[in-house]
Amino acid sequence: MRTQVAIIGGGPAGLLLGQLLHRYGIDNVIFERKDRDYILARIRAGVLEQGTVGLLDEVGVSARLHHDGLVHHGIELAFGGARHRIDMTKATGKTVTVYGQTEVTRDLMDARLAAGLTTVYNADNASLHDFDGDQPRVRYVKDGVSHEVTCDFIAGCDGFHGVSRQSVEPKVYERVYPFGWLGLLSETPPVSPELIYNNHERGFALCSMRSSHRSRYYLQCALDDHIDNWPDDKFWDELKRRLDPEAVDHLVTGPSIEKSIAPLRSFVAEPMRFGRLFLAGDAAHIVPPTGAKGLNLAASDVHYLSTALREFYADKSAAGIDDYSRRALSRVWKAERFSWWMTSMLHRFPGTDEFSARIQRAELSYLVESDAAKTSLSENYVGLPY
Ligand code: RFL
Ligand code: PHB
């Protein structure tokens, strides 16, 4: 088999890249280790920046998003038993859209199928070769049979545990946080029309949603905690302890549809280009979910990468691919900073003293009192320009 761009990984980064390249007339094949249903069972991100929505518009994959997605103009910060709204649209003129990553992925998969583009699911043992030269190759095994593909470029969109980053030796910057997030999805109306980020002495809590009848809640938990320790009743009781009184009054509880624990990590691999291999999305960087940036960074990476490849094929210029890593990393580090800052401000860090709690409280009250501080949070939350 031969293709122009071999994409490793069929998550949101790989799928969106595939659609953008297709739109620019560049053929591509996706090699994905799992199957379609496995990928669609993962519950992850919920908040899309306006830029991400714009890219989905550009590839014609946003009809359901505009129909079912919830456009949000603000978020709420809760601390000391009270809630404070940050009007992000007033501060920036922009909005975010609440629409689950699962649905974005489903829409992209459907579009890929409709366009007749090839995705090889259950592609085992992918290995990347010769990306230092101009004829890279990808080998993989499917149904026990080995295959080899030649291509012009390889896009490593295979997430944090993928093979692409493991095939090179980037410099790595990392911070692992001493807690995780326990998430619960339920078929219940959201407690409030906008997201509520709660700083509480028992630990952080987040009230989010997927639709007017489906809610997503998160609790800060210990790193070594396990979902077996969290029957639904215990989850709801703990959530109520961390919410403000008005939220407790409005909270509708119900059986969980999904429950999972995720560790929190900041991670950047530099550079994001190695010859004809490019890293994009979680393959190159991880943010803690507090800033809602992971999926959105995957989208901005593939925007830079697809325009660079278009320039290569259409204009016979390597300027874009030579500049890919610098452009992507410049935006990545700003989102890393924002996600680290939101995480630091909102969580309880084990072993820290009352001083740290007071500093957090001062930071939060400054934030809700200062227009300058609100604008700074808002422009990062809605997404910095590409
Ligand atoms: P993915 O989604 O991990 O997809 C990578 C794909 O590559 C496949 N793969 C391989 N394929 C072939 N060969 C191999 N050797 C392979 N190894 C792996 C995998 O099977 C998979 O299908 O990475 P991608 O595409 O870069 O997308 C990144 C996003 O998924 C991630 O950043 C977000 O989910 C992060 N995130 C959030 N991001 C936001 O923008 N807003 C949010 O509100 C938000 N909330 C979250 C989040 C992540 C969370 N968790 C669970 C980590 C909330 C949570 C709780
Ligand atoms: C979610 O709905 O899953 C979600 C929303 C906002 C975040 C993180 C996760 O910051």
Side-chain angles (χ1 to χ4, degrees):
M1 198 196 302
R2 192 189 142 77
T3 185
Q4 288 175 301
V5 182
I7 301 175
I8 315 297
L15 286 163
L16 180 58
L17 177 64
Q19 290 312 116
L20 286 162
L21 294 179
H22 174 63
R23 194 173 133 70
Y24 304 152
I26 302 169
D27 74 64
N28 61 87
V29 176
I30 293 182
F31 301 93
E32 166 58 51
R33 180 163 64 177
K34 303 288 188 188
D35 62 30
R36 186 186 148 98
D37 292 342
Y38 179 94
I39 295 168
L40 289 176
R42 292 192 290 227
I43 309 290
R44 287 183 168 184
V47 178
L48 306 182
E49 295 173 356
Q50 210 161 297
T52 305
V53 173
L55 289 171
L56 292 164
D57 287 337
E58 185 184 337
V59 294
V61 182
S62 56
R64 223 159 54 92
L65 182 159
H66 288 299
H67 188 264
D68 297 346
L70 306 170
V71 175
H72 281 198
H73 300 273
I75 56 168
E76 296 203 88
L77 293 178
F79 55 95
R83 248 148 73 182
H84 308 264
R85 180 165 189 269
I86 302 212
D87 189 331
M88 298 183 307
T89 303
K90 189 169 145 215
T92 66
K94 292 189 183 159
T95 59
V96 293
T97 302
V98 174
Y99 187 68
Q101 176 169 332
T102 315
E103 303 313 314
V104 174
T105 308
R106 191 190 308 277
D107 295 344
L108 285 165
M109 282 174 170
D110 290 350
R112 188 167 179 87
L113 204 60
L117 303 174
T118 309
T119 308
V120 180
Y121 285 106
N122 300 308
D124 292 327
N125 296 333
S127 58
L128 320 184
H129 306 271
D130 298 339
F131 45 83
D132 286 340
D134 55 13
Q135 278 289 334
R137 289 171 300 122
V138 173
R139 291 196 194 127
Y140 66 97
V141 175
K142 165 113 179 158
D143 300 328
V145 181
S146 300
H147 300 267
E148 185 173 283
V149 185
T150 52
C151 55
D152 298 333
F153 297 100
I154 302 173
C157 301
D158 47 352
F160 187 62
H161 300 288
V163 67
S164 300
R165 197 183 65 254
Q166 288 165 24
S167 307
V168 290
E169 287 182 0
K171 177 155 177 50
V172 160
Y173 302 84
E174 185 169 29
R175 173 153 306 181
V176 177
Y177 298 88
F179 40 73
W181 275 22
L182 165 67
L184 179 146
L185 188 69
S186 61
E187 200 64 20
T188 54
V191 64
S192 177
E194 293 178 336
L195 272 63
I196 312 173
Y197 289 81
N198 299 269
N199 171 296
H200 192 273
E201 62 194 21
R202 295 182 65 89
F204 171 73
L206 172 61
C207 307
S208 182
M209 66 197 72
R210 290 292 175 272
S211 68
S212 60
H213 51 84
R214 189 169 278 201
S215 299
R216 180 73 166 159
Y217 296 102
Y218 294 98
L219 292 175
Q220 176 183 346
C221 65
L223 259 187
D224 59 357
D225 216 333
H226 195 272
I227 44 167
D228 294 345
N229 299 331
W230 288 94
D232 291 357
D233 286 349
K234 185 173 164 196
F235 183 98
W236 294 120
D237 287 347
E238 182 60 30
L239 181 64
K240 284 181 191 159
R241 287 199 187 99
R242 298 187 193 184
L243 299 185
D244 65 277
E246 192 198 333
V248 174
D249 279 352
H250 286 90
L251 182 69
V252 181
T253 63
S256 62
I257 307 171
E258 192 264 3
K259 235 183 316 192
S260 53
I261 292 183
L264 268 69
R265 182 193 299 271
S266 298
F267 178 97
V268 182
E270 290 190 359
M272 289 171 61
R273 176 200 179 188
F274 296 83
R276 288 189 169 226
L277 165 65
F278 303 94
L279 303 179
D282 279 14
H285 41 72
I286 295 287
V287 284
T290 327
K293 288 285 159 252
L295 172 61
N296 293 300
L297 276 184
S300 56
D301 286 353
V302 301
H303 162 72
Y304 296 135
L305 183 54
S306 61
T307 51
L309 290 170
R310 172 159 78 161
E311 224 177 288
F312 179 86
Y313 286 109
D315 307 338
K316 310 219 168 342
S317 162
I321 58 176
D322 287 343
D323 202 30
Y324 166 69
S325 181
R326 187 203 60 78
R327 277 182 90 191
L329 283 166
S330 163
R331 192 168 190 280
V332 164
W333 272 111
K334 290 175 195 114
E336 290 283 345
R337 184 207 68 81
F338 177 65
S339 306
W340 160 83
W341 172 71
M342 287 282 280
T343 304
S344 311
M345 177 171 69
L346 289 165
H347 291 75
R348 205 37 51 112
F349 284 69
T352 53
D353 54 11
E354 267 306 296
F355 180 82
S356 311
R358 287 282 197 245
I359 292 290
Q360 276 187 341
R361 182 65 64 84
E363 175 131 40
L364 284 160
S365 53
Y366 167 63
L367 189 53
V368 300
E369 285 158 13
S370 157
D371 281 342
K374 277 189 270 202
T375 301
S376 171
L377 183 148
S378 298
E379 63 186 13
N380 282 279
Y381 196 91
V382 300
L384 295 174
Y386 285 8

